Amino acid sequence: MKHKIYLLIGLLLSSFSILQAEDGSRLWLRQPQNAHAQVTANKQSPTIGLATRELQQAWQGAPVTLELKKDKQLDKDGFRIRHTSDGLTITSPDEIGLLYGTYHLLRLQALQSNDLKTDNEIIENPAYQLRILNHWDNMDRTIERGYAGKSLWNWDELPNTLSDRYEAYARANASIGINGTVLNNVNASPQILSAEYLQKVKALADVFRPYGIRVYLSVNFASPMVLDSLPTADPLDKEVIRWWKNKTKEIYKLIPDFGGFLVKANSEGQPGPCDFGRTHAEGANMLADALKPYKGIVMWRAFVYSPSDADRAKQAYLEFQPLDGQFRPNVIVQVKNGPVDFQPREPYSPLFGSMKHTSLMAEFQITQEYLGHSNHIAYLAPMWEEFFQFVPATSQKAIAGVSNIGTDANWCGHPFAQANWYAFGRLAWNPQLGSDEIADEWLKQTIYKEGVTDISPIHTDLKKMMLESREAVVDYMMPLGLHHLFAWGHHYGPEPWCKVPGARPDWLPSYYHKADAQGIGFDRSSTGSNAVAQYPDSLARLYNNLATCPEEYLLWFHHVPWRHTMKSGRTLWDELCRHYDAGVQQVKKFQKTWDKAEAFVDADCFKDVQSRLKIQARDAVWWKDACLLYFQQFSQMPIPYDIERPIHELDDLEKVQLGISNYECPSGELLNRNR
Ligand code: GCV
């Protein structure tokens, strides 16, 4: 009797947990945990223990052997999966490779992949050695450009209380191959290096370690002055050098596998070596020397632009390229994918390929600062795929993505925003995976509710929606190479007219669009700022010529007359109108697609996405009307008669104040606030 009651309670609890689990909190890791698979290993360790447990609970197939063994074809994190007479063997030279192999196998199972059915061996090695998330999390748990609640790191409770989410976070990252995390904002508080906080950092590092996740910290270059009242932070000063050496030693005593430092220096008001007449290389090298005995690295950001006359898009190159060859081997210069700042579309940063004697790494932004925050669907893999066409993974050993993770139950705010976290990990492992394949994987593992066996009526349409979503955002926000038309401060809505008395010109949209009676766009050709010259010759020639410049970058590189004839035969103005309208129509199509998905997805998730799509559709019209009505004042041309007419007055749009800050927009809070 007692047993029956326990069984009943057990069943109730497990069905409750299944119901609970449809809130997105299980991410792409939703496989049933009741498999009882037979698993053996030739060594025991915490990491191998995790791999064993994952397989025992979820693997439905033949017995698995985990084999730690050197293998010439495998890098440290790589693995081989092969069929043997006893079942399956996962081999890796390192424990973490066994865990990655385990997640790979379970992914193939979840996807019912044919790879499993054949006798083929699977061999996987990651393209980048370091696959790192950058959290822009502040110590008060706000997140700069975070749209999914608060920071996961509960500094007040650490180190004594460890949220379950810490391990769930590590597991999710390991499942897609991410192996590093920078815990705090690049606008770094010196406090993170205090003895008290290092204990907290250690507690997190201890949780992450078995999952192969190394912890890194963003550091404030003036830390020695703030924390210990040194009179200077000059990187050539003996006391400063000593301070950093001691601090580094203190960190490694607590965290022997600490990864290193990420530094934003002399950028947007952050302190740095230039404050003391030193170069970025001198600053980075001083930190690199402190880290070297422990094999730590410095990731030194190239996101710099001073209030000078030089075109902002040229500045990182102008400042960093001359330093090529001056950085220590354990410094990696971290460069945003584009030359300005994570816009919906940018050409790649010309720093890539131009610093032959320096390690570089790309920084992507997973959080959608400039792509509709967590209100808009914008699947970013196609954007990153575009980047890899210009900057192949073979040229670098590391890659970083600015995280979109917070305390929201589903981690990322918008249910589809998880796909960007997933895609970042998968592409960091293998940049050759197509956006299509990754969308396919993510959808199948994440979005369909339990019990749905036939997804064929909806799957292709949902995938299409994801694949087209980023281009839709480009169309309704900033087509044809337009960029930075965002409202002051929050980077959510349009404000191409924005004027802020006394503001730096390069913080205002008019600096970028340069609309006037003649035309629109930033002349970066040889007759303008000549930013084209920073690219390799063949590309420079292509971009420099109005006739050959790809239209998606046209207004990035040229100031183009309104009546210029585009490839379609239409005028630039008409083409611009059509792009804005196409973006709006696309989102309306997404609404229809999503409504058809109702029977296939969890009811709450359905409603959530449906309501966010309504916001996205309204925002798309807002963007279109704001930009077209504003630019029309210059073009003086009619909006083509066959496209939808504006439904707003420009005067009204100019009065819109969202009243949100740079720092925190918990998801859902943007819903038409003050509109
Ligand atoms: C962390 C942009 C963002 C800032 C961010 C900065 C950076 O300017 O708007 O919030 O600061 O990039 O990448 O350092």
Side-chain angles (χ1 to χ4, degrees):
M1 182 61 188
K2 218 173 169 186
H3 270 102
K4 278 191 183 151
I5 291 174
Y6 283 145
L7 191 68
L8 196 66
I9 294 174
L11 281 173
L12 280 173
L13 282 177
S14 64
S15 56
F16 178 70
S17 72
I18 286 169
L19 289 176
Q20 281 277 300
E22 294 296 338
D23 60 4
S25 57
R26 287 187 299 167
L27 298 154
W28 45 87
L29 296 164
R30 296 165 65 231
Q31 303 201 45
Q33 300 288 307
N34 53 2
H36 308 295
Q38 198 184 314
V39 184
T40 47
N42 67 351
K43 199 191 153 195
Q44 297 306 319
S45 77
T47 302
I48 294 176
L50 290 174
T52 306
R53 200 181 68 202
E54 292 282 9
L55 289 165
Q56 281 170 342
Q57 292 176 351
W59 175 242
Q60 309 279 353
V64 183
T65 305
L66 296 171
E67 183 187 46
L68 194 67
K69 198 177 106 184
K70 283 217 163 65
D71 183 322
K72 279 200 193 113
Q73 281 177 284
L74 298 179
D75 302 339
K76 178 180 159 288
D77 294 357
F79 56 85
R80 178 195 297 273
I81 302 177
R82 65 180 204 281
H83 294 258
T84 61
S85 51
D86 311 327
L88 280 173
T89 298
I90 306 178
T91 307
S92 175
D94 195 280
E95 297 164 22
I96 191 63
L98 294 177
L99 189 60
Y100 293 145
T102 295
Y103 286 122
H104 191 81
L105 188 62
L106 293 175
R107 178 165 45 241
L108 296 179
Q109 171 176 269
L111 299 171
Q112 298 173 5
S113 162
N114 283 334
D115 289 4
L116 272 182
K117 292 181 192 134
T118 64
D119 277 345
N120 289 345
E121 272 196 350
I122 296 167
I123 295 182
E124 290 264 337
N125 285 306
Y128 296 95
Q129 282 167 37
L130 306 176
R131 307 170 293 278
I132 303 179
L133 281 186
N134 287 186
H135 288 267
W136 286 358
D137 294 19
N138 300 311
M139 319 293 279
D140 62 2
R141 300 192 73 190
T142 57
I143 305 178
E144 185 153 350
R145 315 303 179 183
Y147 316 107
K150 289 200 222 164
S151 166
L152 286 183
W153 326 131
N154 193 333
W155 296 111
D156 286 348
E157 288 184 352
L158 282 162
N160 298 328
T161 305
L162 297 172
S163 149
D164 290 349
R165 277 243 156 163
Y166 301 153
E167 186 169 353
Y169 164 88
R171 175 174 179 244
N173 279 320
S175 76
I176 49 175
I178 288 171
N179 66 358
T181 177
V182 184
L183 296 177
N184 60 321
N185 193 350
V186 286
N187 292 329
S189 162
Q191 214 53 38
I192 196 74
L193 291 180
S194 65
E196 183 194 352
Y197 272 84
L198 289 179
Q199 290 293 341
K200 299 169 192 271
V201 173
K202 170 192 162 34
L204 290 173
D206 289 345
V207 176
F208 300 163
R209 186 167 298 110
Y211 289 92
I213 315 276
R214 279 186 169 204
V215 161
Y216 301 75
L217 292 176
S218 294
V219 297
N220 182 304
F221 203 76
S223 296
M225 298 171 77
V226 182
L227 288 181
D228 283 315
S229 305
L230 263 62
T232 177
D234 180 346
L236 301 194
D237 180 275
K238 276 199 190 115
E239 287 308 310
V240 171
I241 296 171
R242 199 194 330 265
W243 190 92
W244 282 106
K245 284 202 165 142
N246 287 339
K247 188 48 81 181
T248 308
K249 191 170 169 193
E250 184 186 340
I251 297 174
Y252 277 92
K253 226 169 150 188
L254 293 169
I255 310 166
D257 57 352
F258 179 70
F261 299 139
L262 171 63
V263 193
K264 172 175 177 176
N266 296 112
S267 163
E268 299 186 330
Q270 292 302 309
C274 310
D275 301 341
F276 309 95
R278 311 299 181 194
T279 66
H280 283 280
E282 286 170 319
N285 291 344
M286 181 272 292
L287 296 178
D289 291 343
L291 288 157
K292 190 175 167 216
Y294 313 95
K295 299 199 167 57
I297 60 163
V298 176
M299 293 168 286
W300 191 269
R301 293 176 94 226
F303 178 65
V304 292
Y305 59 103
S306 47
S308 73
D309 288 343
D311 170 6
R312 175 170 165 186
K314 289 173 66 177
Q315 292 197 27
Y317 183 103
L318 290 176
E319 213 165 321
F320 275 80
Q321 203 286 329
L323 300 175
D324 188 23
Q326 295 182 28
F327 292 93
R328 297 276 192 270
N330 61 333
V331 175
I332 311 182
V333 175
Q334 182 166 312
V335 185
K336 289 189 181 182
N337 59 294
V340 171
D341 189 9
F342 298 139
Q343 297 301 292
R345 171 168 279 124
E346 295 192 32
Y348 79 94
S349 165
L351 268 176
F352 293 105
S354 69
M355 293 184 72
K356 303 274 187 240
H357 308 287
T358 307
S359 300
L360 297 189
M361 66 191 281
E363 177 178 324
F364 291 160
Q365 194 181 44
I366 309 171
T367 191
Q368 294 166 230
E369 173 180 357
Y370 295 104
L371 289 104
H373 298 186
S374 56
N375 283 343
H376 296 195
I377 287 187
Y379 172 56
L380 299 177
M383 175 158 94
W384 300 331
E385 209 173 25
E386 233 166 72
F387 172 82
F388 292 128
Q389 282 169 21
F390 293 97
V391 187
T394 43
S395 56
Q396 285 138 41
K397 68 167 194 183
I399 189 159
V402 179
S403 146
N404 62 349
I405 303 165
T407 49
D408 276 7
N410 71 9
W411 300 82
C412 302
H414 197 305
F416 277 77
Q418 279 182 18
N420 291 331
W421 175 11
Y422 183 83
F424 172 73
R426 296 290 287 133
L427 286 169
W429 183 275
N430 180 5
Q432 283 177 352
L433 287 173
S435 306
D436 183 301
E437 196 175 341
I438 298 172
D440 190 73
E441 286 184 4
W442 181 80
L443 279 167
K444 284 181 178 160
Q445 294 173 94
T446 318
I447 212 79
Y448 301 113
K449 69 180 175 194
E450 273 167 38
V452 169
T453 45
D454 181 12
I455 58 169
S456 61
I458 192 69
H459 185 64
T460 310
D461 287 348
L462 284 186
K463 199 161 68 174
K464 194 158 180 280
M465 173 174 86
M466 286 177 73
L467 291 171
E468 291 173 352
S469 59
R470 179 271 189 145
E471 199 62 37
V473 177
V474 171
D475 274 341
Y476 63 70
M477 285 188 182
M478 281 163 254
L480 298 176
L482 284 173
H483 48 292
H484 233 313
L485 306 183
F486 292 96
W488 178 260
H490 53 70
H491 296 169
Y492 183 72
E495 213 171 69
W497 50 80
C498 178
K499 285 193 182 74
V500 176
R504 279 177 60 166
D506 56 1
W507 282 354
L508 297 174
S510 55
Y511 175 90
Y512 300 96
H513 64 66
K514 303 216 184 304
D516 57 21
Q518 281 70 50
I520 183 170
F522 198 128
D523 185 0
R524 296 194 167 107
S525 73
S526 49
T527 56
S529 79
N530 204 20
V532 289
Q534 293 181 340
Y535 288 90
D537 285 352
S538 58
L539 274 183
R541 275 198 300 278
L542 189 83
Y543 294 158
N544 192 43
N545 184 342
L546 187 59
T548 56
C549 181
E551 287 190 349
E552 68 262 31
Y553 301 136
L554 195 66
L555 306 180
W556 185 283
F557 287 115
H558 295 273
H559 190 71
V560 183
W562 293 111
R563 291 184 187 280
H564 169 78
T565 307
M566 303 291 286
K567 289 199 183 98
S568 62
R570 290 189 274 268
T571 63
L572 167 67
W573 169 252
D574 277 14
E575 192 78 8
L576 198 64
C577 293
R578 279 176 199 287
H579 274 279
Y580 274 105
D581 193 55
V584 170
Q585 301 311 325
Q586 191 80 320
V587 179
K588 292 183 179 172
K589 230 172 74 190
F590 297 162
Q591 288 184 285
K592 291 184 190 158
T593 301
W594 185 249
D595 280 357
K596 281 196 289 177
E598 185 166 7
F600 299 85
V601 300
D602 169 72
D604 287 342
C605 170
F606 175 74
K607 281 196 216 108
D608 188 0
V609 174
Q610 190 184 46
S611 80
R612 287 178 206 257
L613 274 168
K614 284 181 191 161
I615 298 167
Q616 187 170 359
R618 285 198 293 271
D619 287 347
V621 176
W622 174 29
W623 268 97
K624 171 190 156 191
D625 288 2
C627 295
L628 290 186
L629 291 173
Y630 174 73
F631 292 137
Q632 194 177 30
Q633 301 178 118
F634 301 98
S635 80
Q636 295 289 324
M637 292 166 78
I639 292 173
Y641 296 110
D642 58 333
I643 70 170
E644 273 184 17
R645 321 316 294 159
I647 55 170
H648 296 98
E649 300 296 336
L650 183 58
D651 280 356
D652 293 338
L653 294 178
E654 288 187 5
K655 284 182 210 132
V656 172
Q657 293 287 330
L658 281 187
I660 52 178
S661 82
N662 278 346
Y663 293 100
E664 199 181 20
C665 306
S667 64
E669 289 223 353
L670 284 174
L671 312 189
N672 293 328
R673 187 144 23 139
N674 297 339
R675 289 176 58 205

